[in-house]
Amino acid sequence: MPVFTTDFLGHCLQSVLLNASGVHCTTAEQLSILYKEPVAGVVSKSATLEPKTGNPKPRYWDDGTISINAMGLPNNGLDYYLKTAIDVPKNSDQLFILSVAGIDIEQNYDIFKKINAFTEIDAIELNLSCPNLPNHPIIAYNFSVFEKILKEVVAINKKPLGIKLPPYFESHQFDTVSQILNKSGIQFISTINSIPNALIIDIETETPVIYPKKGLGGLGGSFVKPTTLANIYQFHERLNSDISIIGCGGIQNGGDVFEHILCGASLVEIGTQLAVEGPAVFSRIQSELFDIMKQKNYKTIADFKGKLKFKETI
Ligand code: RRO
């Protein structure tokens, strides 16, 4: 069996797989179930300072391949997830990654002040890309606000820190965001969050499939994989080598994980497919990835990480 030598934040991990924040990670029970699977760790549902019920239902839909959601950050509040990090048993080499998403800038500062005291938090994923909060535009698309928040949060924070990014599309966006990230002092990025403000329609009822935001929601699943790969690849080209990349978007099988790693991801997050298939997805995908590595005679993740090849011109 191939050996995993993925080094992430100084941890030598037995797996490259994580759940995507938002899926199977809102309660302590859901997180405890994930730890029993071959995962590198878990990512909790993005927490606000106080518990939040989220948007009205129906707010999630999938057809087994793609998903759309406008959940609106339903979560049990920061204190709940800090307590969960202490209470829920895990293997010593699995990570607890706390996802946080202050609903405004000030709240992010309050959240970070509170987290510092908790040794059980291995890393923080700061979500600056939630697409579904009415009247709250995606912070990571406003580069001056993005830079300001990063600077102030890094000054307070004492934990390994990553940023969950929205998808970007233009090379000038990758240039600007990478410049901000390279001087920020963060340790990793997670790319991508769902593609914002998509619309899926049910022909029979002639309505959108979800209710909030007039049906507009974040798109996930197989359709988003090419956008994810392009984001991983373009950040891998531009970011300092000490900033790791977690890839997230459109993983359905071991081949998809292989592609994420080829583009430069150290770890990957699984969202829609976890919602569709349940926690058993992790052992299936892990063994599919091993099979591909075996066929190609790759012994470690480092053998192919970031090593995308290009065709010669004819
Ligand atoms: O809860 C949500 O509506 C949500 C969040 Br916070 C996020 O980051 N991404 C997403 O697709 N949904």
Side-chain angles (χ1 to χ4, degrees):
M1 189 172 274
V3 182
F4 278 102
T5 56
T6 275
D7 174 41
F8 182 74
L9 307 177
H11 301 265
C12 184
L13 301 168
Q14 304 297 306
S15 165
V16 293
L17 308 177
L18 300 162
N19 64 295
S21 177
V23 184
H24 214 285
C25 62
T26 301
T27 66
E29 195 195 347
Q30 289 173 325
L31 288 162
S32 73
I33 290 169
L34 294 186
Y35 277 134
K36 299 194 177 89
E37 301 298 326
V39 291
V42 301
V43 190
S44 54
K45 172 67 185 171
S46 297
T48 45
L49 207 49
E50 302 298 333
K52 201 168 176 316
T53 51
N55 292 332
K57 295 177 181 172
R59 57 192 184 183
Y60 174 85
W61 174 97
D62 71 60
D63 67 358
T65 304
I66 59 167
S67 67
I68 187 167
N69 86 85
M71 304 296 287
L73 251 176
N75 76 91
N76 294 321
L78 181 63
D79 288 345
Y80 178 91
Y81 297 104
L82 292 173
K83 185 168 171 343
T84 300
I86 298 169
D87 290 350
V88 177
K90 65 178 181 72
N91 295 337
S92 58
D93 60 355
Q94 290 176 318
L95 306 175
F96 185 97
I97 303 178
L98 177 75
S99 172
V100 297
I103 44 179
D104 55 38
I105 298 178
E106 290 306 320
Q107 193 176 109
N108 276 317
Y109 304 152
D110 292 342
I111 286 173
F112 273 82
K113 281 180 203 150
K114 211 163 178 180
I115 297 169
N116 279 336
F118 287 80
T119 51
E120 294 79 6
I121 308 297
D122 296 302
I124 303 169
E125 185 183 270
L126 171 61
N127 184 354
L128 295 180
S129 50
C130 177
N132 296 325
L133 294 179
N135 308 319
H136 286 87
I138 292 175
I139 294 169
Y141 284 143
N142 182 335
F143 298 142
S144 55
V145 176
F146 180 63
E147 186 166 19
K148 177 176 150 53
I149 292 187
L150 269 189
K151 213 179 198 172
E152 298 188 16
V153 157
V154 168
I156 302 168
N157 173 55
K158 297 195 170 79
K159 304 262 177 215
L161 174 63
I163 310 296
K164 180 87 174 243
L165 296 171
Y168 296 104
F169 301 95
E170 296 263 29
S171 35
H172 68 85
Q173 295 177 315
F174 290 100
D175 290 341
T176 306
V177 174
S178 298
Q179 275 165 20
I180 294 170
L181 294 171
N182 280 336
K183 60 180 185 196
S184 69
I186 64 151
Q187 283 71 44
F188 67 98
I189 61 164
S190 303
T191 177
I192 60 175
N193 206 321
S194 55
I195 298 181
N197 298 313
L199 183 61
I200 297 180
I201 293 170
D202 177 350
I203 295 181
E204 206 171 299
T205 58
E206 301 176 16
T207 63
V209 292
I210 56 170
Y211 171 79
K213 292 182 61 188
K214 297 203 159 157
L216 299 177
L219 183 68
S222 64
F223 285 8
V224 313
K225 188 182 76 172
T227 303
T228 306
L229 295 178
N231 274 257
I232 298 169
Y233 175 69
Q234 292 183 83
F235 277 119
H236 185 250
E237 271 192 311
R238 289 168 172 81
L239 290 180
N240 297 339
S241 58
D242 58 357
I243 300 181
S244 300
I245 298 175
I246 300 180
C248 178
I251 291 175
Q252 293 183 304
N253 56 49
D256 298 328
V257 177
F258 186 83
E259 290 174 35
H260 278 56
I261 296 170
L262 213 48
C263 289
S266 296
L267 299 177
V268 301
E269 295 177 354
I270 301 177
T272 300
Q273 194 62 31
L274 170 58
V276 168
E277 191 174 334
V281 71
F282 292 109
S283 47
R284 175 180 65 78
I285 287 184
Q286 172 98 314
S287 89
E288 289 169 358
L289 177 63
F290 281 158
D291 286 346
I292 293 169
M293 289 174 65
K294 235 187 274 170
Q295 272 165 27
K296 289 176 174 281
N297 207 18
Y298 288 142
K299 303 235 167 353
T300 74
I301 295 296
D303 289 346
F304 59 101
K305 189 173 105 181
K307 295 188 178 166
L308 184 64
K309 298 169 188 165
F310 294 92
K311 289 193 196 309
E312 313 246 334
T313 49
I314 299 162

